[in-house]
Amino acid sequence: MSCLFCKIIEGKIPSTAVFQDELGYAFADLHPQAPVHVLIVPRKHIASLDEAGKEQSGLLGHLLWAAAEIARKKNLTNGYRIVVNTGQEGGQTVDHLHLHLLGGRAMTWPPG
Ligand code: 5GP
Ligand code: ZN
């Protein structure tokens, strides 16, 4: 498997772990776009949100919960943003489903 995030999950590429359990792994983004920028990924390889089936809806919910839990642990009491870039026009560059947790600064809307 040549997937970058699978290698990170397996520990073959180093990362700064933020949270982990049996379903997911979260680590600091290499190029942070905010004071807090964490990536939350399923341990199972799913290429994108578009590839996630109904049988994975529980897993998707768990990852969203994990993102909120990390935000609480990082004291993002003023708010934060969760982003799931999907596909080419969605700006996805790594083909392993991931949630971005961004916080620690005011976000703008609409995104670019
Ligand atoms: P995407 O553009 O697919 O939504 O997000 C991919 C994210 O992965 C980017 O924010 C990028 O900075 C991050 N990233 C790419 N390569 C690495 C890496 O080797 N380690 C870590 N920690 N993050 C990475
Ligand atoms: Zn993968």
Side-chain angles (χ1 to χ4, degrees), residues 19-25 41-44 59 62 65:
F19 171 95
Q20 49 191 317
D21 65 11
E22 72 282 9
L23 294 176
Y25 181 64
V41 304
R43 289 192 182 275
K44 176 184 166 64
L59 173 61
H62 184 79
W65 166 81

Coordinates of all heavy atoms in Angstrom, one line a residue, residues 19-25 41-44 59 62 65:
F19 N -4.3 11.8 19.1 CA -5.4 11.0 19.6 C -5.4 9.7 18.9 O -5.0 9.7 17.7 CB -6.8 11.7 19.4 CG -8.0 10.9 19.6 CD1 -8.7 10.9 20.8 CD2 -8.5 10.0 18.6 CE1 -9.8 10.2 21.1 CE2 -9.6 9.3 18.8 CZ -10.3 9.3 20.1
Q20 N -5.7 8.6 19.5 CA -5.8 7.3 18.8 C -6.7 6.4 19.5 O -6.7 6.4 20.8 CB -4.5 6.7 18.5 CG -3.5 6.6 19.7 CD -2.1 6.1 19.2 OE1 -2.0 5.3 18.3 NE2 -1.1 6.8 19.7
D21 N -7.4 5.6 18.8 CA -8.2 4.5 19.4 C -8.3 3.4 18.3 O -7.6 3.4 17.3 CB -9.6 5.0 19.9 CG -10.5 5.5 18.8 OD1 -10.2 5.3 17.6 OD2 -11.6 6.1 19.1
E22 N -9.2 2.4 18.5 CA -9.2 1.3 17.6 C -9.7 1.6 16.2 O -9.4 0.9 15.3 CB -10.1 0.2 18.2 CG -11.6 0.4 18.2 CD -12.0 1.3 19.3 OE1 -11.2 2.0 20.0 OE2 -13.3 1.4 19.5
L23 N -10.4 2.7 16.1 CA -10.9 3.1 14.8 C -10.2 4.2 14.0 O -10.2 4.2 12.8 CB -12.4 3.5 14.9 CG -13.4 2.5 15.4 CD1 -14.8 3.1 15.6 CD2 -13.5 1.3 14.4
G24 N -9.6 5.1 14.8 CA -9.0 6.2 14.2 C -7.6 6.7 14.8 O -7.2 6.2 15.8
Y25 N -7.0 7.5 14.0 CA -5.7 8.1 14.5 C -5.7 9.6 14.1 O -6.2 9.9 13.0 CB -4.6 7.4 13.7 CG -3.2 7.8 14.1 CD1 -2.7 7.7 15.4 CD2 -2.3 8.4 13.1 CE1 -1.4 8.1 15.7 CE2 -1.1 8.8 13.5 CZ -0.6 8.7 14.8 OH 0.7 9.1 15.1
V41 N -8.0 10.6 10.9 CA -8.1 9.6 9.8 C -8.6 8.3 10.3 O -8.3 7.9 11.5 CB -6.8 9.4 9.0 CG1 -6.2 10.7 8.5 CG2 -5.8 8.7 9.9
P42 N -9.4 7.5 9.5 CA -9.8 6.2 9.9 C -8.6 5.2 9.7 O -7.8 5.4 8.8 CB -10.9 5.8 8.9 CG -10.6 6.6 7.7 CD -10.0 7.9 8.2
R43 N -8.4 4.3 10.6 CA -7.3 3.3 10.5 C -7.5 2.5 9.2 O -6.5 2.2 8.5 CB -7.2 2.4 11.7 CG -6.7 3.0 12.9 CD -6.4 2.0 14.0 NE -6.0 2.7 15.2 CZ -4.7 3.1 15.4 NH1 -3.8 2.9 14.5 NH2 -4.4 3.8 16.5
K44 N -8.7 2.2 8.8 CA -9.0 1.5 7.6 C -8.8 2.5 6.4 O -9.3 3.6 6.5 CB -10.5 1.0 7.7 CG -11.0 0.4 6.4 CD -12.5 0.0 6.6 CE -13.2 -0.3 5.3 NZ -12.7 -1.5 4.7
L59 N -18.6 4.8 11.5 CA -17.2 5.2 11.6 C -17.0 6.7 11.3 O -16.3 7.4 12.0 CB -16.4 4.4 10.5 CG -14.9 4.8 10.3 CD1 -14.1 4.6 11.6 CD2 -14.3 3.9 9.2
H62 N -18.0 8.5 14.3 CA -17.0 8.3 15.4 C -15.8 9.3 15.1 O -15.3 9.9 16.1 CB -16.4 6.9 15.4 CG -15.4 6.6 16.4 ND1 -15.8 6.4 17.7 CD2 -14.1 6.6 16.4 CE1 -14.7 6.2 18.5 NE2 -13.7 6.3 17.7
W65 N -16.9 12.7 16.1 CA -16.9 12.8 17.6 C -15.4 13.0 18.1 O -15.2 13.8 19.0 CB -17.5 11.5 18.2 CG -17.1 11.4 19.7 CD1 -17.8 12.1 20.7 CD2 -16.0 10.7 20.3 NE1 -17.1 11.8 21.9 CE2 -16.0 11.0 21.7 CE3 -15.0 9.9 19.8 CZ2 -15.1 10.5 22.5 CZ3 -14.0 9.4 20.6 CH2 -14.1 9.7 22.0

